[in-house]
Amino acid sequence: MAKTLVIGAFGQIGSELVPALRAKYGRENIIAVDIREPHPPEEMEPYEICDATDKGEIESLIVHNQVDTVYHLASLLSASGEKNPDNAWRLNVKSLKIVLDLAVKHKLKKVFWPSSIAAFGPTTPRVNTPQHTILEPTTMYGVTKVSGELLCQYYHHKYGLDVRSLRYPGLISYKAPPGGGTTDYAVGIFYDALQKGKYECFVRPDTILPMMYMDDAIEGTIKLMEAPVEKIAVRTSYNLAAISFSAAELAAEVKKHLPKFTCTYVPDARQKIADSWPQSVDDSQARKDWGWKHTYGVAEMTTIMIKELKKKLGIRK
Ligand code: SER
């Protein structure tokens, strides 16, 4: 059986997508690779260490494992990208071009690549952001996402490559922590609420961003990739939405479970990034084309996060 390669397998999305793909298609059929070791390593076995910007390494993985599908998840997020724009361009765009070229050369069946709400910018309508709209991001991360979307569409039009993509909102999960993103507060709040009873939030309380519980994101990703080819009308990237809330609303939700919890707000450089992104996204095209729907609301997500993080952190009460 042809195999699936997941590049950037131990990041926020990969840590949950790899087990989901293995449960569905068989452990031995999913090759997980990342530039760093997973934690804990035994949960991700088998895996390989590989640099996503090294064309030779990626090509040999494709050829030696008879790969026909690639999920290319390796990426630097928005806040890290602002600290190191060169690295963001190199990792986010160069590695995508490598994967797309190899996909054409080796006639791969399908490629998945994640875009983000970061593809939008301050000139985009901020509420119910349409699928087709102004894309003038002001972060390097956003610039790499728009460039990547256009590259994907180009490879589809020019070479007929079946490349599919989603514009993820902020993703919330208890398994792998996010790193270097602007939406990280929506995860960090749970860790600090449980471990310290308080959280210093780096965006204003009225900051509203689109978010999603990770299980929905994984479900949507697999559903998109399994959809019949004729259902895929968007070849840049599909808007994908679930829930939108302000930082203060999230804090209030956490307080329902932990009544002594307090949240303070000390906006930093990430506020400007958050202010340039939509508050909510119109994903009706994904819902219509391939049947996307989300399951988790804010209350369910909060309940699960608190319950599971308590277990993970060994907190009894
Ligand atoms: N979660 C990402 C970030 O905050 C957005 O794609 O950078």
Side-chain angles (χ1 to χ4, degrees):
M1 182 174 163
K3 301 217 176 353
T4 293
L5 177 66
V6 183
I7 304 170
F10 311 141
Q12 198 196 5
I13 299 172
S15 301
E16 305 208 24
L17 184 64
V18 168
L21 292 173
R22 283 183 170 158
K24 220 171 157 64
Y25 306 118
R27 191 167 194 80
E28 65 291 354
N29 294 320
I30 309 300
I31 320 285
V33 304
D34 203 297
I35 199 161
R36 57 196 164 146
E37 296 274 342
H39 298 288
E42 54 283 3
E43 271 182 23
M44 277 293 171
E45 276 165 3
Y47 65 84
E48 294 194 39
I49 303 298
C50 144
D51 178 355
T53 60
D54 185 326
K55 190 170 185 176
E57 279 187 36
I58 303 288
E59 183 160 30
S60 104
L61 282 163
I62 290 175
V63 172
H64 290 128
N65 296 291
Q66 292 167 309
V67 165
D68 75 349
T69 301
V70 175
Y71 288 79
H72 177 41
L73 308 175
S75 179
L76 219 63
L77 293 184
S78 56
S80 305
E82 286 316 284
K83 287 193 190 127
N84 201 333
D86 282 356
N87 256 356
W89 181 264
R90 198 179 58 85
L91 179 60
N92 298 8
V93 184
K94 183 183 166 193
S95 69
L96 173 63
K97 175 98 176 14
I98 287 173
V99 167
L100 295 174
D101 284 333
L102 291 173
V104 172
K105 180 174 171 191
H106 295 286
K107 301 188 171 51
L108 301 196
K109 242 167 72 191
K110 275 181 231 173
V111 173
F112 176 82
W113 177 77
S115 186
S116 158
I117 49 165
F120 305 118
T123 51
T124 307
R126 286 194 78 199
V127 176
N128 233 1
T129 302
Q131 174 67 50
H132 299 284
T133 186
I134 301 163
L135 298 173
E136 294 178 338
T138 45
T139 61
M140 179 51 104
Y141 178 63
V143 170
T144 67
K145 289 300 175 191
V146 175
S147 309
E149 287 189 9
L150 293 173
L151 262 185
C152 289
Q153 180 175 250
Y154 178 80
Y155 275 69
H156 175 71
H157 285 160
K158 184 154 175 94
Y159 305 108
L161 183 66
D162 189 355
V163 47
R164 307 180 181 194
S165 175
L166 297 171
R167 289 176 182 149
Y168 291 118
L171 298 178
I172 301 174
S173 92
Y174 61 88
K175 286 185 189 144
T182 300
T183 58
D184 291 9
Y185 65 89
V187 179
I189 192 170
F190 290 101
Y191 281 87
D192 280 14
L194 285 165
Q195 291 178 308
K196 304 180 191 162
K198 58 183 183 178
Y199 181 60
E200 188 179 286
C201 183
F202 58 77
V203 295
R204 284 188 319 268
D206 63 348
T207 305
I208 300 174
L209 285 176
M211 302 276 180
M212 181 178 290
Y213 182 54
M214 185 62 88
D215 284 21
D216 274 337
I218 300 299
E219 176 85 22
T221 306
I222 295 176
K223 201 169 171 61
L224 170 78
M225 287 298 272
E226 287 192 336
V229 68
E230 65 276 9
K231 300 278 184 201
I232 309 299
V234 173
R235 290 296 180 168
T236 49
S237 189
Y238 275 100
N239 281 5
L240 196 74
I243 44 185
S244 280
F245 48 76
S246 69
E249 281 164 344
L250 180 60
E253 210 51 54
V254 172
K255 216 172 157 58
K256 286 184 193 164
H257 296 261
L258 304 165
K260 291 190 189 136
F261 170 66
T262 54
C263 192
T264 49
Y265 300 88
V266 183
D268 67 14
R270 289 169 281 189
Q271 182 71 57
K272 203 169 149 210
I273 300 178
D275 288 341
S276 76
W277 291 351
Q279 296 188 335
S280 59
V281 167
D282 175 3
D283 63 353
S284 48
Q285 181 138 15
R287 290 176 190 259
K288 176 173 75 70
D289 286 0
W290 46 275
W292 155 246
K293 58 179 189 311
H294 73 282
T295 301
Y296 297 89
V298 190
E300 291 114 305
M301 178 276 288
T302 304
T303 305
I304 297 172
M305 285 297 285
I306 290 183
K307 185 169 153 239
E308 295 298 332
L309 276 180
K310 268 188 182 168
K311 274 196 239 160
K312 182 175 168 179
L313 302 170
I315 297 169
R316 293 244 169 82
K317 43 185 175 61

